[in-house]
Amino acid sequence: MSCTLHRANVVAILKREHQAARTLRDAHRAKQKAEGEFLTHEHDFRTSELHLTQYLSVGPATGRFLYACARSINAQNIVEFGSSFGISTLYLAAAAADTGGRVTGSEYHASKAAKANANLVDAGLSGSAHVIAGDARETLAAIRGPIDLLFLDGAKELYFDLLLMLEERLRPGALVIADNADMLPEEAGFLLHVGEGSDRYVTSLIGFYRGLVSLSVVLPQG
Ligand SMILES: C[S@@+](CC[C@H](N)C(=O)[O-])C[C@H]1O[C@@H](n2cnc3c(N)ncnc32)[C@H](O)[C@@H]1O
């Protein structure tokens, strides 16, 4: 049984990108420490240097989780909010290569989207995924359903907006995976909407080294 995630060039590109993410993050932290500040995510994604330059990516454990989720539901139509330099996109694209599906990623910063697409080419996965540059509220607005898997990893305050925008296009049994669930502002409403008491989703929070990931399965309606 083949697994694209284990293919030599995919392994090599993931290793290179995870290493680059760590190097940039460490340099950023050292700079902030020297300046007496703390690394914070409370920045506007459109204007902050953090969002323009840093990977802010999932780690290998979360990446393998994304691959496993997409592969286990044989996901054909995978949508990603917030691709950055495309590390999570690579994991999802590897799954899409194995299911015959496709990933549509989204990234506000054009330079990041271009690098994410170049990484997909390097990994031989450009036929399975593409990252669109621009605000996902616009670039993903017309995406076709049914959607099998929605991965939310862009601006935390927009998770709920993106979910509401795409909700009607999620098929029964689809998965909604939200990274950094522990960083969502309470007023964002996302966790209230998918959490206990929802008749549309069953949700569980899963702890990873870098925080909580929320996993929701979409229930059939009616
Ligand atoms: C946490 S990072 C994503 C990391 C990526 N998923 C990975 O694991 O490699 C969040 C990214 O979302 C982007 N972003 C935030 N809000 C966005 C929006 N409304 N539309 C498109 N991209 C957005 C930011 O520019 C940033 O690069």
Side-chain angles (χ1 to χ4, degrees):
M1 186 59 100
S2 78
C3 174
T4 299
L5 197 56
H6 295 159
R7 226 172 51 198
N9 59 338
V10 174
V11 171
I13 300 305
L14 279 170
K15 192 174 169 201
R16 182 188 80 191
E17 291 305 302
H18 278 303
Q19 183 54 53
R22 276 192 294 271
T23 304
L24 263 180
R25 184 199 58 201
D26 291 349
H28 180 73
R29 284 186 175 161
K31 183 169 168 259
Q32 291 223 312
K33 205 172 166 200
E35 289 169 3
E37 295 171 30
F38 295 103
L39 185 67
T40 170
H41 293 273
E42 291 168 4
H43 290 297
D44 187 322
F45 66 91
R46 289 160 292 203
T47 51
S48 83
E49 199 204 326
L50 188 80
H51 284 95
L52 177 65
T53 59
Q54 290 290 316
Y55 277 70
L56 308 169
S57 57
V58 298
T62 309
R64 287 192 297 272
F65 176 72
L66 291 174
Y67 175 90
C69 287
R71 181 100 198 237
S72 67
I73 60 165
N74 197 34
Q76 299 297 302
N77 187 6
I78 300 171
V79 179
E80 176 177 66
F81 167 48
S83 300
S84 189
F85 291 117
I87 288 189
S88 52
T89 323
L90 285 164
Y91 285 96
L92 291 168
D98 292 336
T99 65
R102 187 159 178 82
V103 182
T104 305
S106 60
E107 171 51 49
Y108 181 77
H109 295 287
S111 53
K112 279 185 147 185
K115 171 81 159 83
N117 285 320
N119 285 340
L120 289 164
V121 171
D122 289 351
L125 291 170
S126 58
S128 302
H130 182 72
V131 176
I132 308 171
D135 192 321
R137 288 170 290 183
E138 291 156 19
T139 59
L140 298 181
I143 202 135
R144 287 233 184 110
I147 296 168
D148 300 284
L149 191 153
L150 172 62
F151 178 51
L152 299 169
D153 199 17
K156 308 307 154 208
E157 65 277 15
L158 296 179
Y159 279 18
F160 194 25
D161 291 358
L162 262 290
L163 178 62
L164 290 181
M165 184 175 93
L166 300 173
E167 192 163 58
E168 294 302 326
R169 283 168 264 176
L170 292 165
R171 70 156 168 89
L175 296 178
V176 178
I177 304 172
D179 198 22
N180 311 114
D182 45 340
M183 284 170 46
L184 298 183
E186 241 173 65
E187 66 280 8
F190 173 81
L191 287 176
L192 276 178
H193 186 70
V194 299
E196 238 172 286
S198 167
D199 55 6
R200 199 165 190 136
Y201 302 93
V202 171
T203 296
S204 186
L205 292 177
I206 304 164
F208 282 88
Y209 174 65
R210 296 179 197 201
L212 291 180
V213 170
S214 135
L215 172 68
S216 308
V217 63
V218 177
L219 302 173
Q221 295 297 295

